[in-house]
Each structure stands twice: as structure tokens, then as C-alpha cells.
Amino acid sequence: MSASMQGKAAVVTGGGGAIGHAAAQCLAAAGADVMLVDIDAAALAGKRAALAARGVRAETFVADVSKAGDVAAYVARALAVFGRIDAFFNNAGIEGKLGPTYEYDEEEFDRIIAVNLKGVFLGLRHVLPVMLRQGGGAVVNTGSIASERGLAGACAYNASKHGVIGLTRTAASEVGPQGVRVNAVMPGVVDTPLLEAMLRMMFNGDLDAGKRALGRVATLERIGAPAEIGEVATFLLSDASSFVNGAAWAVDGGALSTIRH
Ligand SMILES: NC(=O)c1ccc[n+]([C@@H]2O[C@H](COP(=O)([O-])OP(=O)(O)OC[C@H]3O[C@@H](n4cnc5c(N)ncnc54)[C@H](O)[C@@H]3O)[C@@H](O)[C@H]2O)c1
């Protein structure tokens, strides 16, 4: 079975960003109606029309995933527009500042955890009841290769992404018996604004050197494209992955599969 999303309604957080938008394009190409959610109204501008051009219903909604009221509002809007939520890409995230754990700023730690971990929890907290009422649905949370390895200088990001996998496995075990699936993707190094923000901090602004260096963590010896994450997320959100639940899928060019030396 191929990854058809015909007749399904999808919500994508971080939909104004690179991976969220790429996933939305894949979902729309597979036939899904899509709502993009993002805190950045400017990032959403124009994206609704680009999706609607594929012949699906498209919506955008400005919301902060770390605020329960905003999450309730985007879920209510999706239900008002589509009547259901079949697929939920719980993807918004921020990189935050870099610094060693023993000097890390407490407020920055809280800010990153609020978006990357609590935001994913709030998404599950508000979308899963909808899917349970419907008797079905699929969720994909966005982890990272930093969900499975330490990442020097990024304690909050790293902890948040480990936590996303815990949320994924726990929620999957709770709702699987009722026909709702929860999985995660763990992107490797992907060419997005978030990566560029990190590289600016790590490589003194030399983006090309940073991309070459980080490409080498993958056995494919390159960084990934947002659409390569979007395709796997779409597969996990579709019935083509109907026997996959609680899984954390590395989409990382092989980075987690070996120790490069
Ligand atoms: N780019 C990479 O190399 C990489 C690697 C592993 C994991 N990831 C993860 O992929 C996901 C998407 O990141 P991306 O690379 O597409 O970056 P991106 O910066 O292009 O997209 C992230 C989007 O999330 C939005 N966002 C930030 N805070 C928000 C909030 N509080 N509420 C709602 N929206 C908010 C941003 O406005 C942005 O549009 C993130 O969870 C990130 O941690 C990225």
C-alpha cells in the first residue's frame, strides 16, 4: 500500500518552517487537507496558497505550541474547518543558545523545554482525545539524532529531544489499543534555517564549512533535505505504516547506525 492521504485531514506544527512545510507538501501531494500552525505569521504567508494549488483544502493558524490556550485554539479551528484530525505532525521546535551545561542559562533552558517538550506534550494532550473519539488517527512527533546521543553545548535541546521519544513511546502504549498510532522521526542534520542558526554559533558563521563538517556524521556523507524528512513523516502518518507504533525512526543518512572514524 502506498502512502495515500486521500480524504484525510492533517495538522502540522512548525508548518512555517522548512521540515514542517516540506511535510505539508508531501501530505498534500498524497491528497490530505492540511492546516499549518506556526508562531511566525510571516513564515506562514503564502504557504496556504502553495498548498491549495495542489487541489486540497489548506489553512494556516498562528499559535504558540507552548501555550495550552493556543493549542486548544488550533485544534478547535482544525475541527471547525475539517471536522476531524486524522494526521498530526507535532513538529515545531527551536534550537536555543549554545553553552556548556555547567554554565547554561536557566531561563534559556526553560524556554527550549517549553517549546520542544511541553509543546509536544500539549499537542498530544489536545489532539489525542480527538483521535480517540474518532476511533483512529496517527501522530508523528519530531525528535532528532540528539534524541539518542549527547550533543555538547546543547543540554536543553538534547534533553528536550530525548523527552520527545519518551512522550512518543508512552503515548503510543496508551492509545495503540484504541487504534491511534504515535511515532517519532529523528532527523539527522537537515538543511534548514534551524540548522543554519546552530552552524552560525558553532562555526563562526561559516555555513559551508559547517555543512561539510556535519555532513560527515552521516554514512551517506551529506546533510539531508527537508523533503526527505517530510516523506518519512507522511509514510508514518498514512495507513501504509499501519503496523508501526511507538517507533523512533532515524532519518539521518545513517548517522546513528555507526561510529564514524
Ligand atoms: N534542521 C535540522 O537539522 C534538524 C535536525 C533534527 C531535528 N530537527 C527538528 O525538526 C523540527 C523542525 O525544524 P526545522 O529544521 O524545520 O526548523 P525551522 O526553524 O525551519 O522550523 C521550525 C518552525 O517552528 C516554528 N516555531 C518555533 N517556536 C514555535 C512555537 N512556540 N510555536 C509554534 N511554532 C513555533 C518556527 O517559527 C519555525 O517556522 C524541529 O523540532 C527541530 O528540532 C531539525
Side-chain angles (χ1 to χ4, degrees):
M1 188 192 295
S2 61
S4 169
M5 296 295 293
Q6 213 65 45
K8 299 204 173 187
V11 174
V12 175
T13 71
I19 291 174
H21 185 235
Q25 292 282 355
C26 294
L27 288 162
D33 296 328
V34 184
M35 173 183 276
L36 302 176
V37 176
D38 206 288
I39 197 171
D40 183 346
L44 290 173
K47 294 205 161 68
R48 176 181 178 168
L51 287 173
R54 292 183 178 269
V56 301
R57 290 178 71 185
E59 282 283 319
T60 56
F61 195 88
V62 177
D64 180 345
V65 299
S66 70
K67 303 236 158 51
D70 283 26
V71 176
Y74 78 65
V75 170
R77 178 71 186 152
L79 289 177
V81 175
F82 302 136
R84 51 191 296 114
I85 302 173
D86 301 292
F88 177 45
F89 190 29
N90 203 1
N91 163 73
I94 54 176
E95 70 289 348
K97 293 188 186 129
L98 297 182
T101 308
Y102 51 86
E103 289 173 357
Y104 209 79
D105 182 70
E106 185 182 341
E107 281 176 20
E108 182 67 353
F109 186 91
D110 287 345
R111 187 177 76 90
I112 296 165
I113 295 293
V115 177
N116 293 7
L117 186 58
K118 189 175 175 191
V120 169
F121 159 71
L122 287 173
L124 294 168
R125 174 70 184 81
H126 288 263
V127 172
L128 288 178
V130 172
M131 293 182 168
L132 291 170
R133 277 199 301 277
Q134 291 169 181
V139 178
V140 170
N141 300 320
T142 301
S144 165
I145 50 173
S147 297
E148 296 229 336
R149 298 282 188 276
L151 184 59
C155 61
Y157 184 83
N158 193 248
S160 72
K161 292 299 183 181
H162 274 67
V164 165
I165 304 305
L167 286 173
T168 301
R169 291 179 176 142
T170 294
S173 66
E174 291 165 348
V175 299
Q178 290 142 92
V180 178
R181 299 182 300 109
V182 184
N183 292 292
V185 283
M186 299 189 296
V189 184
V190 183
D191 201 357
T192 75
L194 183 146
L195 175 71
E196 293 195 350
M198 272 198 169
L199 292 181
R200 269 190 204 94
M201 294 185 276
M202 292 165 69
F203 291 87
N204 291 327
D206 189 343
L207 294 184
D208 288 340
K211 287 178 186 179
R212 274 196 307 279
L214 288 190
R216 286 195 285 272
V217 305
T219 52
L220 296 181
E221 297 197 331
R222 64 171 176 85
I223 64 174
E228 294 179 301
I229 313 304
E231 291 286 358
V232 177
T234 299
F235 164 71
L236 290 172
L237 289 167
S238 78
D239 293 341
S241 61
S242 52
F243 201 48
V244 183
N245 193 34
W249 273 51
V251 194
D252 64 348
L256 289 175
S257 68
T258 191
I259 298 168
R260 296 285 279 166
H261 56 85

